[in-house]
Amino acid sequence: MIRTLLLLALSLGAALGQTSMGIGSPLFNSSSSSSSQLFDAIISKIRNLTKTWTPGRNPLPPAFYRGSVRLEQLERERLPAGILVLKTEVQLPESFDARTRWPNCPSIGEIRNQGCCGSCWAISAAAIMTDRWCIHSPDSAQFTFGAFDILACCKECGNGCDGGDLGPAWTYWVEHGVSSGGPHNSRCGCHPYPFDVCRHRDEQVPTPKCVRTCQATYNQTDATQDIRFGREAYSVPMDESRIMEEIFMNGPVQATFKMYEDFRVYKSGVYRHVWGPLVTGHAIKIIGWGVEKGTKYWLCINSWGESWGSKGLFKIIRGENHLNIERDVHTGLPDYRKHEEMFSFNY
């Protein structure tokens, strides 16, 4: 079995110019029928190896689905662990879905699309900021945080579309605030997301420049007057129960894991890595947990659009720190007063 896998991996590398590391490796030519046939062969091979999940053809070639968390920086940039103070012991259910617990916060179930930029670290953070702004507001206030500010203006966060860090993104929310922003090409928010999906396999988009003006169609001109802030930013201890308690009490969290080639062809079931080289680190949103056919899982939302995976969602093994999914979990709490205090002048 090991020899068969090795031969398959070598043949794929030779045929497609595969590299074992890096973002957007040229693995697939979407216009090539021979590449499509080889892609189907990969899926067929993985299907024989998986026990808890099913691979399948997603709409885009595998290399178009990008991660971009700087794995080598995770430990150094990890924030101090937050302390969750509970008056009584929480009875955690066997399964949980944040969309059901907070139905007045529809952002929890929204699927964002990072397109051709390695911005998973920024886009998943902005999505969770949006969720928690609603969850902790007494009246379920809606404010859609965009990934633009984190991606373009946070110099301490990393290399923009070429890789970023979780901890500094959350610190940036607390210290500098983040503006609103809707999907690519939308008129929603101050700074809509600037990138569409990739057009060809080796496309590399530049990190956008930081700007402090909103799009012309927005009701605010100065982005400084649009930004909203976080009050606390912290990591969650690498403990299954602690992560579950955090989600159950406060809402979705951001996590990262080592992304291997087989994850790109996930369609359903509980994902466990079985084949392929390490591609990069990838950041996602965890919104709950459950058990499927005896296998414990985290319920997660990806940032590759609704057409990928199970309508944009996936499940991954829970309780084993599989691919370090439980090692670097980050989140924060909103500050509803700071914005008002900045623009309340008493003369």
Side-chain angles (χ1 to χ4, degrees), residues 319-334:
E320 301 178 14
N321 192 31
H322 185 58
L323 306 181
N324 283 348
I325 185 71
E326 292 148 16
R327 183 175 178 81
D328 287 282
V329 176
H330 282 77
T331 191
L333 295 171

mmCIF file with all atom_site columns, all heavy atoms in Angstrom, residues 319-334:
data_model
loop_
_atom_site.group_PDB
_atom_site.id
_atom_site.type_symbol
_atom_site.label_atom_id
_atom_site.label_alt_id
_atom_site.label_comp_id
_atom_site.label_asym_id
_atom_site.label_entity_id
_atom_site.label_seq_id
_atom_site.pdbx_PDB_ins_code
_atom_site.Cartn_x
_atom_site.Cartn_y
_atom_site.Cartn_z
_atom_site.occupancy
_atom_site.B_iso_or_equiv
_atom_site.pdbx_formal_charge
_atom_site.auth_seq_id
_atom_site.auth_comp_id
_atom_site.auth_asym_id
_atom_site.auth_atom_id
_atom_site.pdbx_PDB_model_num
ATOM 1   N N   . GLY A 1 319 ? -11.096 15.933 19.035 1.00 0.00 ? 319 GLY A N   1
ATOM 2   C CA  . GLY A 1 319 ? -10.574 15.328 20.254 1.00 0.00 ? 319 GLY A CA  1
ATOM 3   C C   . GLY A 1 319 ? -9.218  14.669 20.130 1.00 0.00 ? 319 GLY A C   1
ATOM 4   O O   . GLY A 1 319 ? -8.688  14.168 21.120 1.00 0.00 ? 319 GLY A O   1
ATOM 5   N N   . GLU A 1 320 ? -8.623  14.696 18.937 1.00 0.00 ? 320 GLU A N   1
ATOM 6   C CA  . GLU A 1 320 ? -7.305  14.082 18.722 1.00 0.00 ? 320 GLU A CA  1
ATOM 7   C C   . GLU A 1 320 ? -6.254  15.109 18.325 1.00 0.00 ? 320 GLU A C   1
ATOM 8   O O   . GLU A 1 320 ? -5.126  14.736 18.028 1.00 0.00 ? 320 GLU A O   1
ATOM 9   C CB  . GLU A 1 320 ? -7.395  13.018 17.625 1.00 0.00 ? 320 GLU A CB  1
ATOM 10  C CG  . GLU A 1 320 ? -8.371  11.897 17.899 1.00 0.00 ? 320 GLU A CG  1
ATOM 11  C CD  . GLU A 1 320 ? -8.449  10.906 16.745 1.00 0.00 ? 320 GLU A CD  1
ATOM 12  O OE1 . GLU A 1 320 ? -7.550  10.943 15.860 1.00 0.00 ? 320 GLU A OE1 1
ATOM 13  O OE2 . GLU A 1 320 ? -9.396  10.099 16.702 1.00 0.00 ? 320 GLU A OE2 1
ATOM 14  N N   . ASN A 1 321 ? -6.622  16.374 18.302 1.00 0.00 ? 321 ASN A N   1
ATOM 15  C CA  . ASN A 1 321 ? -5.752  17.417 17.768 1.00 0.00 ? 321 ASN A CA  1
ATOM 16  C C   . ASN A 1 321 ? -5.244  17.024 16.384 1.00 0.00 ? 321 ASN A C   1
ATOM 17  O O   . ASN A 1 321 ? -4.076  17.219 16.042 1.00 0.00 ? 321 ASN A O   1
ATOM 18  C CB  . ASN A 1 321 ? -4.561  17.703 18.702 1.00 0.00 ? 321 ASN A CB  1
ATOM 19  C CG  . ASN A 1 321 ? -3.819  18.974 18.313 1.00 0.00 ? 321 ASN A CG  1
ATOM 20  O OD1 . ASN A 1 321 ? -4.402  19.919 17.790 1.00 0.00 ? 321 ASN A OD1 1
ATOM 21  N ND2 . ASN A 1 321 ? -2.520  18.991 18.560 1.00 0.00 ? 321 ASN A ND2 1
ATOM 22  N N   . HIS A 1 322 ? -6.143  16.483 15.579 1.00 0.00 ? 322 HIS A N   1
ATOM 23  C CA  . HIS A 1 322 ? -5.789  16.029 14.245 1.00 0.00 ? 322 HIS A CA  1
ATOM 24  C C   . HIS A 1 322 ? -5.304  17.203 13.400 1.00 0.00 ? 322 HIS A C   1
ATOM 25  O O   . HIS A 1 322 ? -5.984  18.215 13.261 1.00 0.00 ? 322 HIS A O   1
ATOM 26  C CB  . HIS A 1 322 ? -6.998  15.352 13.585 1.00 0.00 ? 322 HIS A CB  1
ATOM 27  C CG  . HIS A 1 322 ? -6.709  14.754 12.254 1.00 0.00 ? 322 HIS A CG  1
ATOM 28  N ND1 . HIS A 1 322 ? -5.751  13.786 12.068 1.00 0.00 ? 322 HIS A ND1 1
ATOM 29  C CD2 . HIS A 1 322 ? -7.251  14.983 11.028 1.00 0.00 ? 322 HIS A CD2 1
ATOM 30  C CE1 . HIS A 1 322 ? -5.714  13.446 10.802 1.00 0.00 ? 322 HIS A CE1 1
ATOM 31  N NE2 . HIS A 1 322 ? -6.614  14.154 10.140 1.00 0.00 ? 322 HIS A NE2 1
ATOM 32  N N   . LEU A 1 323 ? -4.118  17.082 12.858 1.00 0.00 ? 323 LEU A N   1
ATOM 33  C CA  . LEU A 1 323 ? -3.475  18.111 12.036 1.00 0.00 ? 323 LEU A CA  1
ATOM 34  C C   . LEU A 1 323 ? -3.336  19.431 12.795 1.00 0.00 ? 323 LEU A C   1
ATOM 35  O O   . LEU A 1 323 ? -3.273  20.508 12.207 1.00 0.00 ? 323 LEU A O   1
ATOM 36  C CB  . LEU A 1 323 ? -4.266  18.346 10.732 1.00 0.00 ? 323 LEU A CB  1
ATOM 37  C CG  . LEU A 1 323 ? -4.538  17.105 9.873  1.00 0.00 ? 323 LEU A CG  1
ATOM 38  C CD1 . LEU A 1 323 ? -5.297  17.501 8.610  1.00 0.00 ? 323 LEU A CD1 1
ATOM 39  C CD2 . LEU A 1 323 ? -3.235  16.400 9.517  1.00 0.00 ? 323 LEU A CD2 1
ATOM 40  N N   . ASN A 1 324 ? -3.288  19.341 14.123 1.00 0.00 ? 324 ASN A N   1
ATOM 41  C CA  . ASN A 1 324 ? -3.156  20.505 15.020 1.00 0.00 ? 324 ASN A CA  1
ATOM 42  C C   . ASN A 1 324 ? -4.388  21.406 14.997 1.00 0.00 ? 324 ASN A C   1
ATOM 43  O O   . ASN A 1 324 ? -4.301  22.608 15.299 1.00 0.00 ? 324 ASN A O   1
ATOM 44  C CB  . ASN A 1 324 ? -1.909  21.330 14.685 1.00 0.00 ? 324 ASN A CB  1
ATOM 45  C CG  . ASN A 1 324 ? -0.632  20.676 15.199 1.00 0.00 ? 324 ASN A CG  1
ATOM 46  O OD1 . ASN A 1 324 ? -0.681  19.738 15.992 1.00 0.00 ? 324 ASN A OD1 1
ATOM 47  N ND2 . ASN A 1 324 ? 0.504   21.159 14.742 1.00 0.00 ? 324 ASN A ND2 1
ATOM 48  N N   . ILE A 1 325 ? -5.554  20.850 14.706 1.00 0.00 ? 325 ILE A N   1
ATOM 49  C CA  . ILE A 1 325 ? -6.784  21.627 14.633 1.00 0.00 ? 325 ILE A CA  1
ATOM 50  C C   . ILE A 1 325 ? -7.160  22.254 15.978 1.00 0.00 ? 325 ILE A C   1
ATOM 51  O O   . ILE A 1 325 ? -7.830  23.297 16.027 1.00 0.00 ? 325 ILE A O   1
ATOM 52  C CB  . ILE A 1 325 ? -7.957  20.752 14.110 1.00 0.00 ? 325 ILE A CB  1
ATOM 53  C CG1 . ILE A 1 325 ? -9.253  21.567 13.903 1.00 0.00 ? 325 ILE A CG1 1
ATOM 54  C CG2 . ILE A 1 325 ? -8.234  19.593 15.070 1.00 0.00 ? 325 ILE A CG2 1
ATOM 55  C CD1 . ILE A 1 325 ? -9.214  22.497 12.758 1.00 0.00 ? 325 ILE A CD1 1
ATOM 56  N N   . GLU A 1 326 ? -6.707  21.659 17.086 1.00 0.00 ? 326 GLU A N   1
ATOM 57  C CA  . GLU A 1 326 ? -7.060  22.162 18.416 1.00 0.00 ? 326 GLU A CA  1
ATOM 58  C C   . GLU A 1 326 ? -5.919  22.924 19.093 1.00 0.00 ? 326 GLU A C   1
ATOM 59  O O   . GLU A 1 326 ? -6.051  23.363 20.236 1.00 0.00 ? 326 GLU A O   1
ATOM 60  C CB  . GLU A 1 326 ? -7.505  20.987 19.299 1.00 0.00 ? 326 GLU A CB  1
ATOM 61  C CG  . GLU A 1 326 ? -8.826  20.373 18.837 1.00 0.00 ? 326 GLU A CG  1
ATOM 62  C CD  . GLU A 1 326 ? -8.927  18.872 19.115 1.00 0.00 ? 326 GLU A CD  1
ATOM 63  O OE1 . GLU A 1 326 ? -8.139  18.351 19.926 1.00 0.00 ? 326 GLU A OE1 1
ATOM 64  O OE2 . GLU A 1 326 ? -9.804  18.219 18.502 1.00 0.00 ? 326 GLU A OE2 1
ATOM 65  N N   . ARG A 1 327 ? -4.836  23.115 18.383 1.00 0.00 ? 327 ARG A N   1
ATOM 66  C CA  . ARG A 1 327 ? -3.640  23.711 18.991 1.00 0.00 ? 327 ARG A CA  1
ATOM 67  C C   . ARG A 1 327 ? -3.658  25.239 18.975 1.00 0.00 ? 327 ARG A C   1
ATOM 68  O O   . ARG A 1 327 ? -3.195  25.880 19.923 1.00 0.00 ? 327 ARG A O   1
ATOM 69  C CB  . ARG A 1 327 ? -2.379  23.209 18.280 1.00 0.00 ? 327 ARG A CB  1
ATOM 70  C CG  . ARG A 1 327 ? -1.087  23.712 18.900 1.00 0.00 ? 327 ARG A CG  1
ATOM 71  C CD  . ARG A 1 327 ? 0.127   23.077 18.239 1.00 0.00 ? 327 ARG A CD  1
ATOM 72  N NE  . ARG A 1 327 ? 1.367   23.586 18.790 1.00 0.00 ? 327 ARG A NE  1
ATOM 73  C CZ  . ARG A 1 327 ? 1.926   23.161 19.922 1.00 0.00 ? 327 ARG A CZ  1
ATOM 74  N NH1 . ARG A 1 327 ? 1.329   22.218 20.619 1.00 0.00 ? 327 ARG A NH1 1
ATOM 75  N NH2 . ARG A 1 327 ? 3.066   23.672 20.349 1.00 0.00 ? 327 ARG A NH2 1
ATOM 76  N N   . ASP A 1 328 ? -4.152  25.828 17.898 1.00 0.00 ? 328 ASP A N   1
ATOM 77  C CA  . ASP A 1 328 ? -4.111  27.288 17.764 1.00 0.00 ? 328 ASP A CA  1
ATOM 78  C C   . ASP A 1 328 ? -5.504  27.834 17.492 1.00 0.00 ? 328 ASP A C   1
ATOM 79  O O   . ASP A 1 328 ? -5.850  28.182 16.368 1.00 0.00 ? 328 ASP A O   1
ATOM 80  C CB  . ASP A 1 328 ? -3.147  27.688 16.646 1.00 0.00 ? 328 ASP A CB  1
ATOM 81  C CG  . ASP A 1 328 ? -1.697  27.495 17.046 1.00 0.00 ? 328 ASP A CG  1
ATOM 82  O OD1 . ASP A 1 328 ? -1.176  28.355 17.784 1.00 0.00 ? 328 ASP A OD1 1
ATOM 83  O OD2 . ASP A 1 328 ? -1.094  26.483 16.651 1.00 0.00 ? 328 ASP A OD2 1
ATOM 84  N N   . VAL A 1 329 ? -6.295  27.894 18.546 1.00 0.00 ? 329 VAL A N   1
ATOM 85  C CA  . VAL A 1 329 ? -7.660  28.399 18.461 1.00 0.00 ? 329 VAL A CA  1
ATOM 86  C C   . VAL A 1 329 ? -7.689  29.822 19.025 1.00 0.00 ? 329 VAL A C   1
ATOM 87  O O   . VAL A 1 329 ? -7.205  30.074 20.133 1.00 0.00 ? 329 VAL A O   1
ATOM 88  C CB  . VAL A 1 329 ? -8.631  27.493 19.245 1.00 0.00 ? 329 VAL A CB  1
ATOM 89  C CG1 . VAL A 1 329 ? -10.033 28.069 19.232 1.00 0.00 ? 329 VAL A CG1 1
ATOM 90  C CG2 . VAL A 1 329 ? -8.618  26.083 18.660 1.00 0.00 ? 329 VAL A CG2 1
ATOM 91  N N   . HIS A 1 330 ? -8.250  30.761 18.254 1.00 0.00 ? 330 HIS A N   1
ATOM 92  C CA  . HIS A 1 330 ? -8.288  32.162 18.677 1.00 0.00 ? 330 HIS A CA  1
ATOM 93  C C   . HIS A 1 330 ? -9.695  32.737 18.536 1.00 0.00 ? 330 HIS A C   1
ATOM 94  O O   . HIS A 1 330 ? -10.493 32.265 17.722 1.00 0.00 ? 330 HIS A O   1
ATOM 95  C CB  . HIS A 1 330 ? -7.325  33.008 17.838 1.00 0.00 ? 330 HIS A CB  1
ATOM 96  C CG  . HIS A 1 330 ? -5.895  32.879 18.241 1.00 0.00 ? 330 HIS A CG  1
ATOM 97  N ND1 . HIS A 1 330 ? -5.132  31.788 17.897 1.00 0.00 ? 330 HIS A ND1 1
ATOM 98  C CD2 . HIS A 1 330 ? -5.075  33.698 18.948 1.00 0.00 ? 330 HIS A CD2 1
ATOM 99  C CE1 . HIS A 1 330 ? -3.900  31.933 18.384 1.00 0.00 ? 330 HIS A CE1 1
ATOM 100 N NE2 . HIS A 1 330 ? -3.851  33.096 19.023 1.00 0.00 ? 330 HIS A NE2 1
ATOM 101 N N   . THR A 1 331 ? -9.947  33.772 19.299 1.00 0.00 ? 331 THR A N   1
ATOM 102 C CA  . THR A 1 331 ? -11.227 34.471 19.209 1.00 0.00 ? 331 THR A CA  1
ATOM 103 C C   . THR A 1 331 ? -11.138 35.764 20.013 1.00 0.00 ? 331 THR A C   1
ATOM 104 O O   . THR A 1 331 ? -10.060 36.185 20.435 1.00 0.00 ? 331 THR A O   1
ATOM 105 C CB  . THR A 1 331 ? -12.376 33.565 19.702 1.00 0.00 ? 331 THR A CB  1
ATOM 106 O OG1 . THR A 1 331 ? -13.616 34.163 19.372 1.00 0.00 ? 331 THR A OG1 1
ATOM 107 C CG2 . THR A 1 331 ? -12.275 33.301 21.184 1.00 0.00 ? 331 THR A CG2 1
ATOM 108 N N   . GLY A 1 332 ? -12.286 36.417 20.226 1.00 0.00 ? 332 GLY A N   1
ATOM 109 C CA  . GLY A 1 332 ? -12.295 37.658 20.983 1.00 0.00 ? 332 GLY A CA  1
ATOM 110 C C   . GLY A 1 332 ? -13.713 38.067 21.327 1.00 0.00 ? 332 GLY A C   1
ATOM 111 O O   . GLY A 1 332 ? -14.682 37.410 20.945 1.00 0.00 ? 332 GLY A O   1
ATOM 112 N N   . LEU A 1 333 ? -13.831 39.169 22.044 1.00 0.00 ? 333 LEU A N   1
ATOM 113 C CA  . LEU A 1 333 ? -15.126 39.705 22.451 1.00 0.00 ? 333 LEU A CA  1
ATOM 114 C C   . LEU A 1 333 ? -15.236 41.154 21.985 1.00 0.00 ? 333 LEU A C   1
ATOM 115 O O   . LEU A 1 333 ? -14.246 41.893 21.996 1.00 0.00 ? 333 LEU A O   1
ATOM 116 C CB  . LEU A 1 333 ? -15.296 39.620 23.967 1.00 0.00 ? 333 LEU A CB  1
ATOM 117 C CG  . LEU A 1 333 ? -15.351 38.203 24.550 1.00 0.00 ? 333 LEU A CG  1
ATOM 118 C CD1 . LEU A 1 333 ? -15.307 38.257 26.073 1.00 0.00 ? 333 LEU A CD1 1
ATOM 119 C CD2 . LEU A 1 333 ? -16.614 37.478 24.081 1.00 0.00 ? 333 LEU A CD2 1
ATOM 120 N N   . PRO A 1 334 ? -16.436 41.594 21.585 1.00 0.00 ? 334 PRO A N   1
ATOM 121 C CA  . PRO A 1 334 ? -16.602 42.937 21.015 1.00 0.00 ? 334 PRO A CA  1
ATOM 122 C C   . PRO A 1 334 ? -16.646 44.043 22.061 1.00 0.00 ? 334 PRO A C   1
ATOM 123 O O   . PRO A 1 334 ? -16.975 43.812 23.229 1.00 0.00 ? 334 PRO A O   1
ATOM 124 C CB  . PRO A 1 334 ? -17.940 42.826 20.280 1.00 0.00 ? 334 PRO A CB  1
ATOM 125 C CG  . PRO A 1 334 ? -18.686 41.779 21.035 1.00 0.00 ? 334 PRO A CG  1
ATOM 126 C CD  . PRO A 1 334 ? -17.660 40.791 21.499 1.00 0.00 ? 334 PRO A CD  1
#
